[in-house]
Amino acid sequence: MLALRATIYIIAGIVIMFGRTAKPPIPTLSLALQGGGAHGAFTWGVLDALLENGAFRFDGVSGTSAGAMNAVALAHGLALGGPDGAREALRTFWLRVGEGMPTEFLDALSTARDSAAPAGTQMMLLLTRWLSPSQLNPLGYNPLRKIVESLFDFERIRAECPVQLFIAATEANSGRLRLFRNRELSADAVLASACLPSMQQAVVIDGEAYWDGGYGANPAVFPLIKFCHSDDILLVLLAPLEYANTPHTAEEIQQRTLELGFNSAFLREMRLIAAMREMAQEGGPLHGRLERRLLASRFHLINEEALLGALDSSSRVRINTTFLQWLHDAGYARTQDWLRQHRVDVGRRGSIDIKKMFY
């Protein structure tokens, strides 16, 4: 009896000792990164702040277009050097993008906060209304290809990436969404996700032509629910969820229709997720795996509608280091605010109500 009591005391002491010294597990977070051209530098700032803070581990990352570039830079850096490596990879990528644009497209007189693209870039955009990429750029030159191929080690990402990646592209001949996962990643897959058909020739992979992923998902959210373990999903959005003014001129209307088209797949998907969650809640206590995953999912949001919504639409192709750094700083500051307000929510509760926001 005394021996049994002594054994119980020893076990209790060990439990107390380890309970005092063991650190609580780091919450996991999946990321949904929207596309938006140069505005993707805002997401660079978001990721930079999250990595610096170190409060979360990343589970899955879904990205489209510029969001795909951010996702791959993040994965490459994590595989090579953890959070610090990821911060450096993101910084290197965006600085190379800012320095890599041909100088004839830059306007030395513009300031960081100037919302319009330089005159040369606006002229190029105007030409895309009448000339196809095969006519404007018959050799298929894409300055992003050299940057992507030189910076990212896709073989290592495929073998050692610590996060699940979902890179969205759209099949040009069917409209179907294609998600490139870790084992399928290549420079072509990332460039396909960012291929604007009015400016670049379709990217062909295994005989299939691909355009920008934004036509199919911007970004795809369902794989973060289906394939990932984390119940927390952070949406990083670059397009406004609601615009302040109704467009009136022909040019404004045309631009708005393009923006709505690129955002419509994401909005439909979020409405569907909200509707399915509501149906699962009404279905009683017996649930399958899908219902359990939907009900367990917690959503969070980082965006900056006032700032990004006020920028001229052509600023999405305004590529220079000063502008990109300014967007980074805005994303970094916005994320610091979000961390102060909602860091404790991750792992406990959602910080947005997707039913009110999207349904």
Side-chain angles (χ1 to χ4, degrees):
M1 186 67 179
L2 290 174
L4 178 59
R5 185 176 297 174
T7 302
I8 292 173
Y9 287 154
I10 291 171
I11 294 173
I14 292 172
V15 170
I16 292 171
M17 179 180 68
F18 280 96
R20 287 175 178 173
T21 58
K23 294 181 179 179
I26 299 176
T28 58
L29 190 64
S30 289
L31 305 172
L33 310 180
Q34 199 168 61
H39 294 184
F42 177 88
T43 303
W44 164 32
V46 171
L47 297 176
D48 196 21
L50 292 174
L51 290 162
E52 180 187 57
N53 184 271
F56 314 115
R57 289 189 300 107
F58 301 127
D59 184 3
V61 185
S62 177
T64 296
S65 196
M69 300 292 173
N70 279 313
V72 171
L74 173 71
H76 169 84
L78 288 173
L80 266 63
D84 289 340
R87 294 183 71 194
E88 181 59 29
L90 285 158
R91 179 179 182 276
T92 300
F93 170 76
W94 283 102
L95 291 183
R96 283 282 298 275
V97 168
E99 296 164 357
M101 178 60 71
T103 55
E104 60 266 26
F105 293 144
L106 302 181
D107 183 358
L109 297 179
S110 66
T111 66
R113 296 174 183 269
D114 183 5
S115 64
T121 305
Q122 294 196 49
M123 177 60 71
M124 180 184 69
L125 292 174
L126 189 63
L127 289 174
T128 63
R129 298 183 184 182
W130 295 286
L131 299 175
S132 72
S134 297
Q135 295 170 308
L136 276 175
N137 186 12
L139 298 179
Y141 172 69
N142 185 348
L144 267 179
R145 177 173 289 279
K146 183 177 180 180
I147 295 172
V148 167
E149 291 178 339
S150 65
L151 289 185
F152 301 144
D153 185 344
F154 286 98
E155 183 176 349
R156 189 161 187 174
I157 292 173
R158 289 192 293 266
E160 303 177 25
C161 178
V163 297
Q164 297 188 68
L165 294 176
F166 308 93
I167 303 303
T170 305
E171 293 182 3
N173 296 315
S174 69
R176 286 191 293 263
L177 173 67
R178 169 72 185 274
L179 290 176
F180 292 93
R181 301 186 64 180
N182 297 47
R183 64 183 180 274
E184 306 165 310
L185 277 181
S186 64
D188 280 340
V190 181
L191 292 169
S193 183
C195 177
L196 290 172
S198 62
M199 301 181 68
Q200 297 148 344
Q201 297 182 36
V203 177
V204 179
I205 302 174
D206 296 331
E208 186 72 53
Y210 291 97
W211 283 345
D212 194 291
Y215 295 107
N218 191 24
V221 179
F222 74 88
L224 301 177
I225 297 175
K226 181 178 180 180
F227 298 109
C228 297
H229 298 292
S230 176
D231 292 326
D232 291 273
I233 298 173
L234 173 62
L235 309 172
V236 183
L237 305 186
L238 304 177
L241 293 173
E242 186 172 345
Y243 293 87
N245 300 306
T246 303
H248 295 288
T249 69
E251 183 178 359
E252 289 172 346
I253 293 170
Q254 182 182 35
Q255 187 56 46
R256 180 65 59 82
T257 57
L258 290 173
E259 292 170 353
L260 293 177
F262 258 68
N263 211 28
S264 61
F266 167 73
L267 293 175
R268 283 197 302 270
E269 184 178 4
M270 292 306 300
R271 289 190 191 102
L272 179 60
I273 291 172
M276 291 176 67
R277 278 165 58 98
E278 185 177 45
M279 292 170 65
Q281 288 169 344
E282 297 172 349
L286 298 178
H287 294 115
R289 181 175 177 270
L290 174 61
E291 288 84 0
R292 290 195 299 271
R293 286 292 294 145
L294 285 168
L295 292 175
S297 297
R298 298 180 290 265
F299 287 90
H300 312 274
L301 171 67
I302 294 178
N303 66 345
E304 188 59 86
E305 290 193 327
L307 182 145
L308 296 177
L311 294 175
D312 186 272
S313 59
S314 65
S315 65
R316 291 180 178 84
V317 293
R318 182 165 178 253
I319 310 296
N320 68 63
T321 303
T322 304
F323 184 57
L324 298 178
Q325 185 66 56
W326 176 68
L327 287 168
H328 162 276
D329 295 346
Y332 182 92
R334 176 68 186 88
T335 306
Q336 295 284 24
D337 290 340
W338 182 84
L339 285 166
R340 283 189 288 270
Q341 296 178 48
H342 299 298
R343 173 178 168 175
V344 297
D345 292 332
V346 177
R348 299 180 180 181
R349 54 186 171 269
S351 55
I352 61 169
D353 185 337
I354 64 169
K355 181 180 178 181
K356 291 182 179 179
M357 187 167 289
F358 298 107
Y359 188 28

